[in-house]
Amino acid sequence: MAVPPSTYPHRLLPLFLGLFQAAMLLFFALFVTYDEPSAQEKDTSLVAHQVYSTFPFFQDIQVMLVVGLGLLLTFLPRYGFSSLTHNFLLLNFSMQWALVLQGLLHHFHHGQIHLDLHKLLISEFAAVTVLISVGAILGRASPCQLLAMATCEVPIYLASEWVIVTCLGVLDVGGTITIHIFSCYFGLGVSKALFGATQQPLHPKETPTPSSDLMSLVGTLILWVFWPSFVAVLCQPGDAQHRAILNTLLAMSAGAITTVVASSLLERDGKLSPGHLQNGSLAGGVAIGVVADMAVPPVASLALGSLSAVVCVLGFRFLTPLLGRKLTLHDQCGIHNLHGLPGILGAAASVMAVLVASKDTS
Amino acid sequence: MAVPPSTYPHRLLPLFLGLFQAAMLLFFALFVTYDEPSAQEKDTSLVAHQVYSTFPFFQDIQVMLVVGLGLLLTFLPRYGFSSLTHNFLLLNFSMQWALVLQGLLHHFHHGQIHLDLHKLLISEFAAVTVLISVGAILGRASPCQLLAMATCEVPIYLASEWVIVTCLGVLDVGGTITIHIFSCYFGLGVSKALFGATQQPLHPKETPTPSSDLMSLVGTLILWVFWPSFVAVLCQPGDAQHRAILNTLLAMSAGAITTVVASSLLERDGKLSPGHLQNGSLAGGVAIGVVADMAVPPVASLALGSLSAVVCVLGFRFLTPLLGRKLTLHDQCGIHNLHGLPGILGAAASVMAVLVASKDTS
Amino acid sequence: MAVPPSTYPHRLLPLFLGLFQAAMLLFFALFVTYDEPSAQEKDTSLVAHQVYSTFPFFQDIQVMLVVGLGLLLTFLPRYGFSSLTHNFLLLNFSMQWALVLQGLLHHFHHGQIHLDLHKLLISEFAAVTVLISVGAILGRASPCQLLAMATCEVPIYLASEWVIVTCLGVLDVGGTITIHIFSCYFGLGVSKALFGATQQPLHPKETPTPSSDLMSLVGTLILWVFWPSFVAVLCQPGDAQHRAILNTLLAMSAGAITTVVASSLLERDGKLSPGHLQNGSLAGGVAIGVVADMAVPPVASLALGSLSAVVCVLGFRFLTPLLGRKLTLHDQCGIHNLHGLPGILGAAASVMAVLVASKDTS
């Protein structure tokens, strides 16, 4: 790993991770089981149906997180390999950790947790928050710091998700509020706490090369392609899921075009900035999540996608340097521009959609 | 973007794209809507079935176009990043543009276009023609020239597809004629019109490096893997779709092996040419499209795959230099060898298949 | 190709491959056909169901073998392009060869072989053994040697699989014994036979670079993501398939974390070895194959995943250098550590699982 070994004790990482995996083994041995095999034929075809309707979406999301997000983070050539590794490690760590916590909170019946694909998927969503937050401190934090962050973030996410979805009754099928906004501000808070005091100069090797920009853009494109699966996987099968897929496709497409418009207007010589492309193209997907399965017209998805791309590019151009100067807030990957601002835009759109819908029906 | 900024006005690209996206918003606001939510439970399960049977194919095709084709075009290291970006931009632009045109032509009922996944898929197919044609002028045309080409090509494609499929009644499930042959000769025409007069010398940096050849081959492999989805997505579910998948798999497999044979026979020292591998392996998929769902025997798919690979490799070795010398026709990616020649071969095969079938039944 | 052309006659490769493809054409023309189109509507929906339940898994496995395994093998920068090419060529060659042999052995009725997706899948599994064995001699053998090996290995695999599965009645849904253990020791045997006598010094360019390590890790991650499809594709739909997916996911996740633990404990400065990550993360998938669809508790999958990662990393650190020194046995990619040792572990686990299950029911 690229972090100089002198900054953390060598044995802390394997010790912490080894104890964690041992504790997982103990917990699974005591409390986790599978459903009893279905006795009846009808149940079998039901299970088969669930597998076929969820598993392809699940695989798409795994590709997004492991390959797509991993490659997106390799834009700093010096940290390319470790970014990919850390992303992979944190996904597995957070997923197992969320599985345990969610099992204890929600699914603990008669002393046992019955594991199924849906519970793994929900845990994967919890892990996404960690992977997003990491973007704020990429290449600056040691693996142990990242794991400590993940250990704290997962339970706080579960609590905040419970408050937002269960207590407040907010519908957020694509995780715009519960995942993107939450993890963005959590990550920025961690960045401020860890590195806020020091005005760190940029490492001379912390500049993307053409080759690392290309790999990172490939990551963006993989995320872009599979984003509809991420938004639609938890929707009601049928109309709602179909609409969520269409809305997400429209928002992603408008976002991609608008990113090019915004970026080439802002750059002096009309060239496109790789960073804008890598992030702006995805902003539409962040914003659309919260309204994707609602009965919004197609034009709303297009508009929301365009608007979030504009906001994202403007954020990179003006807000990130400003935050760095005024608040000494470092945001290495610009997660505030990709997850924070479009998330807030999506949340505002969902409030409007609900107001319009309630006016229509009254 | 790598094209020197002096060759086009800086503000033309964002202006054009911005106006386009604004016009899209207006059009969608006025005319595009979703289907009414299905009231009955039976309809819901029908929609769900359509989603599960089309969406995985749709995602496969998106991966092909955005990641696979994008990477295939990065073989010129100097234009790697902009090839990937232009491909992505053109896909989104052409898809939205085709959505509007096809909506107006075919799906305009009571002043409204009802959007669904199938219509998006059909528009994506229209966008493919643009992405193929671009291969002829890759790295030579400015983004604005590419967008102007896409603006013209999509309506011409729709007209030609209407003539071929609706008027002439040609069955072309994999788009061999309507997509591959059409876009090849359209692209060559544009190349001749734009750059035909000048005998351009090759830019010294326009040589593939080992690293760019590797990335390009990865793109080929992604296209190779998902090609059966492209050919089979529009087939009748059941036997026809099953047969289309099998025929495509056989043709792709035979094409891959035959490419190695042809390439190592033609090269003096027996080494394989990266360009042959990157293109020849896919030629079988181009040719098989038009007969894939017909009742052709397995040996015909194998033979067609082999033959198109041979034709493609021969084209690269002899025809492309000849066209460049005699007609000053530049074909940067060799689309004539990958899409033109195998497409003509496939069309000839489909004529034979129809003749044989009509003789059998008479 | 990187192998110096003087080591083999230039024309042998195209001659051999060309004859092979011609023989395939002849064989297909004489003996291979498709099923008759189903006459009844019910049959059509049955075929459609089979397509939708098998085809997505099939595509996942194709991505694993063509893109994932191909990229994993590019860690030697000097042989990157040819590794990817050879892997692709061998997959197609072995798949067609296995299709013929399996057709002759198992599916030859009334002088015809009825081709379907399932038979292609089974042939693909046979091809996997070749792709694994190649890892032992990567970058040292000429393409002709590789093809000769594939020609021999496929029939021997089919015989050994017939003995293990049909005669001995071993259940091995994920191919732990029939594929991984078999191909590992076959590959090591070939390596010993071809290069065992000479103590070859490492070529100076045979060292992974940061860039080739990154690409190789991307290959690992693609394999990691799609491994559950590989293990579950041949399971009974319903509970068994669901459980196979979950068991594989758990084993892969535990394996990924434990690899980091083991690797950073073994390396002096606590840094992670790219080779350990690229292989150890997948060891859990190798071991779980044989028990994946059995009624093992979740904790057993976690434990098996962890244990195989430990064994794999220990193998790289201690066993591979030992075998090289004592037996002059070269294992270029460490297939003994990734396929041999975890495979044996999985086989032992399956014996335990069967013993426990038979004790429970008695």
Side-chain angles (χ1 to χ4, degrees):
Chain A
M1 311 245 170
V3 174
S6 59
T7 59
Y8 64 97
H10 295 167
R11 299 291 174 242
L12 197 55
L13 175 72
L15 192 73
F16 178 80
L17 269 182
L19 283 177
F20 170 79
Q21 194 63 61
M24 281 298 112
L25 279 171
L26 191 65
F27 182 87
F28 268 67
L30 294 176
F31 301 121
V32 182
T33 182
Y34 291 131
D35 283 330
E36 290 296 303
S38 324
Q40 294 167 315
E41 199 193 325
K42 204 191 151 193
D43 281 16
T44 294
S45 98
L46 199 76
V47 172
H49 181 73
Q50 283 172 358
V51 170
Y52 299 137
S53 63
T54 306
F55 186 57
F57 288 92
F58 184 82
Q59 295 284 76
D60 287 356
I61 295 169
Q62 293 260 70
V63 175
M64 286 175 76
L65 300 180
V66 175
V67 185
L69 187 54
L71 282 178
L72 177 57
L73 298 179
T74 61
F75 66 99
L76 297 176
R78 192 176 141 82
Y79 302 112
F81 192 83
S82 54
S83 295
L84 202 55
T85 313
H86 291 164
N87 182 65
F88 181 53
L89 178 63
L90 285 171
L91 173 70
N92 283 293
F93 175 85
S94 310
M95 197 265 281
Q96 289 189 30
W97 179 221
L99 199 63
V100 166
L101 290 176
Q102 281 187 318
L104 288 175
L105 286 171
H106 300 309
H107 312 297
F108 207 65
H109 300 302
H110 308 293
Q112 294 216 298
I113 298 163
H114 288 259
L115 199 65
D116 58 22
L117 195 58
H118 185 259
K119 294 198 183 84
L120 276 180
L121 181 67
I122 298 286
S123 309
E124 193 110 332
F125 271 65
V128 173
T129 60
V130 175
L131 302 185
I132 294 173
S133 301
V134 160
I137 53 176
L138 189 81
R140 293 167 186 270
S142 72
C144 284
Q145 288 175 319
L146 297 177
L147 287 173
M149 191 185 88
T151 312
C152 302
E153 183 167 1
V154 171
I156 301 177
Y157 160 74
L158 292 178
S160 89
E161 197 235 1
W162 181 76
V163 168
I164 295 170
V165 174
T166 312
C167 301
L168 302 180
V170 173
L171 296 173
D172 187 10
V173 74
T176 300
I177 300 166
T178 53
I179 294 179
H180 292 287
I181 297 184
F182 167 79
S183 58
C184 164
Y185 290 103
F186 190 94
L188 292 181
V190 170
S191 171
K192 181 76 191 165
L194 286 180
F195 307 107
T198 57
Q199 185 81 36
Q200 284 191 327
L202 260 181
H203 191 284
K205 287 196 189 162
E206 269 186 37
T207 324
T209 61
S211 155
S212 75
D213 264 335
L214 184 69
M215 290 300 279
S216 182
L217 186 60
V218 171
T220 294
L221 296 179
I222 291 173
L223 287 167
W224 189 90
V225 164
F226 291 115
W227 208 285
S229 298
F230 182 81
V231 169
V233 63
L234 292 179
C235 291
Q236 284 293 318
D239 277 318
Q241 199 166 39
H242 188 197
R243 216 161 42 227
I245 290 171
L246 293 174
N247 279 327
T248 310
L249 286 169
L250 291 177
M252 303 300 290
S253 184
I257 292 180
T258 314
T259 300
V260 174
V261 175
S263 178
S264 71
L265 277 179
L266 283 179
E267 297 292 310
R268 222 173 268 170
D269 52 359
K271 283 193 186 183
L272 297 173
S273 145
H276 294 174
L277 280 169
Q278 285 148 3
N279 291 279
S281 316
L282 301 173
V286 171
I288 200 71
V290 70
V291 293
D293 63 340
M294 294 182 185
V296 294
V299 66
S301 310
L302 273 189
L304 194 56
S306 284
L307 213 55
S308 16
V310 170
V311 163
C312 176
V313 172
L314 287 175
F316 269 101
R317 187 75 176 70
F318 300 111
L319 197 59
T320 300
L322 193 79
L323 291 177
R325 268 200 320 275
K326 299 273 167 180
L327 304 178
T328 62
L329 185 60
H330 299 287
D331 182 2
Q332 196 70 33
C333 302
I335 59 170
H336 191 243
N337 309 312
L338 175 50
H339 301 277
L341 298 176
I344 292 170
L345 203 67
S350 80
V351 171
M352 273 179 54
V354 170
L355 288 181
V356 169
S358 64
K359 200 180 267 176
D360 281 4
T361 54
S362 66
Chain B
M1 311 244 171
V3 174
S6 59
T7 59
Y8 66 97
H10 294 168
R11 298 291 173 242
L12 196 56
L13 175 71
L15 193 73
F16 178 79
L17 268 184
L19 282 178
F20 170 79
Q21 194 62 61
M24 280 297 114
L25 279 170
L26 192 64
F27 182 86
F28 267 68
L30 294 176
F31 301 120
V32 183
T33 182
Y34 292 131
D35 282 330
E36 290 296 302
S38 325
Q40 294 166 314
E41 200 192 324
K42 204 190 151 194
D43 282 16
T44 294
S45 98
L46 200 75
V47 173
H49 181 73
Q50 284 171 357
V51 171
Y52 299 137
S53 64
T54 306
F55 187 57
F57 289 91
F58 183 82
Q59 295 283 78
D60 287 356
I61 295 168
Q62 292 259 69
V63 174
M64 286 175 77
L65 301 179
V66 175
V67 186
L69 188 54
L71 283 178
L72 177 57
L73 298 179
T74 61
F75 67 100
L76 297 176
R78 194 177 140 84
Y79 302 112
F81 192 84
S82 55
S83 296
L84 202 55
T85 313
H86 290 165
N87 182 64
F88 181 53
L89 179 63
L90 285 172
L91 173 70
N92 283 293
F93 176 85
S94 310
M95 197 265 284
Q96 290 189 29
W97 180 221
L99 200 62
V100 166
L101 290 177
Q102 280 188 316
L104 287 174
L105 285 171
H106 300 308
H107 312 297
F108 207 64
H109 300 303
H110 308 293
Q112 294 218 295
I113 298 163
H114 288 260
L115 198 65
D116 59 22
L117 195 57
H118 185 258
K119 295 200 183 83
L120 276 179
L121 180 67
I122 298 287
S123 310
E124 193 110 333
F125 270 65
V128 173
T129 60
V130 176
L131 303 186
I132 294 173
S133 301
V134 161
I137 53 175
L138 189 81
R140 292 167 187 270
S142 73
C144 283
Q145 288 175 318
L146 297 177
L147 288 172
M149 190 187 88
T151 312
C152 303
E153 183 167 3
V154 171
I156 301 176
Y157 160 75
L158 293 178
S160 89
E161 197 236 2
W162 181 77
V163 169
I164 295 170
V165 175
T166 311
C167 301
L168 302 180
V170 173
L171 296 173
D172 187 11
V173 75
T176 299
I177 300 165
T178 53
I179 295 178
H180 292 287
I181 297 184
F182 167 79
S183 57
C184 165
Y185 290 103
F186 190 95
L188 291 181
V190 170
S191 171
K192 182 76 190 163
L194 286 180
F195 308 106
T198 57
Q199 183 82 33
Q200 284 192 328
L202 260 181
H203 191 285
K205 287 195 188 165
E206 268 185 40
T207 323
T209 61
S211 156
S212 77
D213 264 335
L214 184 69
M215 290 301 279
S216 182
L217 186 60
V218 171
T220 294
L221 296 180
I222 292 173
L223 288 167
W224 189 89
V225 164
F226 291 114
W227 207 285
S229 299
F230 183 81
V231 170
V233 64
L234 291 179
C235 291
Q236 285 293 319
D239 277 317
Q241 199 166 38
H242 188 198
R243 216 161 41 228
I245 290 171
L246 293 174
N247 279 327
T248 311
L249 285 169
L250 290 177
M252 303 300 290
S253 185
I257 291 181
T258 314
T259 300
V260 174
V261 175
S263 178
S264 70
L265 277 178
L266 284 177
E267 297 291 310
R268 220 172 272 170
D269 53 359
K271 284 192 185 185
L272 297 172
S273 144
H276 294 175
L277 280 170
Q278 285 149 4
N279 292 279
S281 317
L282 301 174
V286 171
I288 198 72
V290 71
V291 293
D293 62 340
M294 293 182 185
V296 296
V299 67
S301 310
L302 273 189
L304 194 56
S306 285
L307 213 57
S308 15
V310 169
V311 163
C312 176
V313 171
L314 287 174
F316 269 101
R317 188 71 176 74
F318 300 111
L319 197 59
T320 300
L322 193 78
L323 291 177
R325 269 201 319 273
K326 301 271 167 182
L327 306 178
T328 62
L329 184 59
H330 298 287
D331 182 2
Q332 197 70 34
C333 301
I335 60 170
H336 190 242
N337 310 311
L338 175 49
H339 301 279
L341 298 176
I344 292 170
L345 203 66
S350 80
V351 172
M352 272 180 54
V354 169
L355 288 181
V356 169
S358 63
K359 198 179 272 178
D360 281 4
T361 53
S362 67
Chain C
M1 312 242 169
V3 175
S6 59
T7 60
Y8 66 96
H10 295 169
R11 299 293 173 240
L12 196 56
L13 175 72
L15 192 74
F16 178 80
L17 269 182
L19 282 178
F20 169 79
Q21 194 64 61
M24 281 297 113
L25 279 170
L26 191 65
F27 183 88
F28 268 67
L30 295 175
F31 302 119
V32 183
T33 182
Y34 291 131
D35 282 330
E36 290 296 302
S38 325
Q40 295 166 314
E41 199 191 326
K42 205 191 149 193
D43 281 16
T44 294
S45 98
L46 199 76
V47 173
H49 181 73
Q50 284 172 358
V51 171
Y52 300 137
S53 63
T54 306
F55 186 57
F57 288 91
F58 184 82
Q59 294 284 78
D60 287 356
I61 294 168
Q62 292 260 68
V63 175
M64 285 175 77
L65 300 180
V66 175
V67 185
L69 187 54
L71 282 178
L72 177 57
L73 298 179
T74 62
F75 66 100
L76 297 176
R78 192 176 142 84
Y79 301 111
F81 192 84
S82 55
S83 296
L84 203 54
T85 313
H86 291 165
N87 182 65
F88 181 53
L89 178 63
L90 285 172
L91 173 69
N92 283 293
F93 175 85
S94 311
M95 198 266 283
Q96 290 189 29
W97 180 222
L99 200 62
V100 166
L101 290 177
Q102 281 188 317
L104 288 175
L105 286 172
H106 301 309
H107 313 297
F108 206 66
H109 300 302
H110 307 294
Q112 294 218 298
I113 299 163
H114 288 259
L115 198 65
D116 59 21
L117 196 57
H118 186 259
K119 295 199 184 83
L120 276 179
L121 181 67
I122 298 287
S123 310
E124 194 110 334
F125 270 64
V128 174
T129 60
V130 176
L131 303 185
I132 293 173
S133 301
V134 161
I137 52 175
L138 189 80
R140 292 168 187 270
S142 73
C144 284
Q145 288 175 318
L146 296 177
L147 287 172
M149 189 185 89
T151 312
C152 303
E153 182 166 4
V154 171
I156 302 177
Y157 160 74
L158 292 177
S160 89
E161 198 235 1
W162 181 75
V163 168
I164 294 170
V165 174
T166 311
C167 301
L168 302 179
V170 173
L171 297 172
D172 187 11
V173 74
T176 300
I177 299 166
T178 53
I179 295 177
H180 292 286
I181 297 184
F182 167 79
S183 57
C184 165
Y185 290 103
F186 190 95
L188 292 181
V190 170
S191 171
K192 181 76 191 165
L194 286 180
F195 308 106
T198 57
Q199 183 82 32
Q200 284 192 326
L202 260 179
H203 191 283
K205 286 196 190 164
E206 266 184 40
T207 324
T209 61
S211 156
S212 75
D213 264 336
L214 185 69
M215 290 301 278
S216 181
L217 186 60
V218 171
T220 294
L221 296 179
I222 291 173
L223 288 168
W224 189 90
V225 163
F226 291 115
W227 208 284
S229 298
F230 182 81
V231 169
V233 64
L234 291 179
C235 291
Q236 285 293 319
D239 277 316
Q241 199 166 41
H242 188 197
R243 216 162 40 228
I245 291 171
L246 293 174
N247 279 327
T248 311
L249 285 169
L250 290 177
M252 303 300 289
S253 185
I257 292 181
T258 313
T259 300
V260 174
V261 175
S263 177
S264 70
L265 278 178
L266 284 178
E267 297 292 310
R268 222 173 269 170
D269 52 359
K271 284 191 185 185
L272 297 172
S273 145
H276 294 174
L277 280 169
Q278 285 150 3
N279 292 278
S281 317
L282 301 173
V286 171
I288 200 71
V290 69
V291 292
D293 63 339
M294 294 183 185
V296 295
V299 66
S301 311
L302 274 188
L304 194 56
S306 285
L307 212 56
S308 19
V310 169
V311 163
C312 176
V313 172
L314 287 175
F316 270 101
R317 188 73 176 74
F318 300 110
L319 198 57
T320 300
L322 193 78
L323 291 177
R325 267 200 320 274
K326 300 272 168 181
L327 306 178
T328 62
L329 183 61
H330 297 287
D331 181 3
Q332 197 70 34
C333 301
I335 59 170
H336 190 243
N337 309 311
L338 175 49
H339 301 278
L341 298 176
I344 292 170
L345 204 66
S350 80
V351 172
M352 272 179 56
V354 169
L355 288 181
V356 168
S358 63
K359 199 179 269 177
D360 280 5
T361 52
S362 64

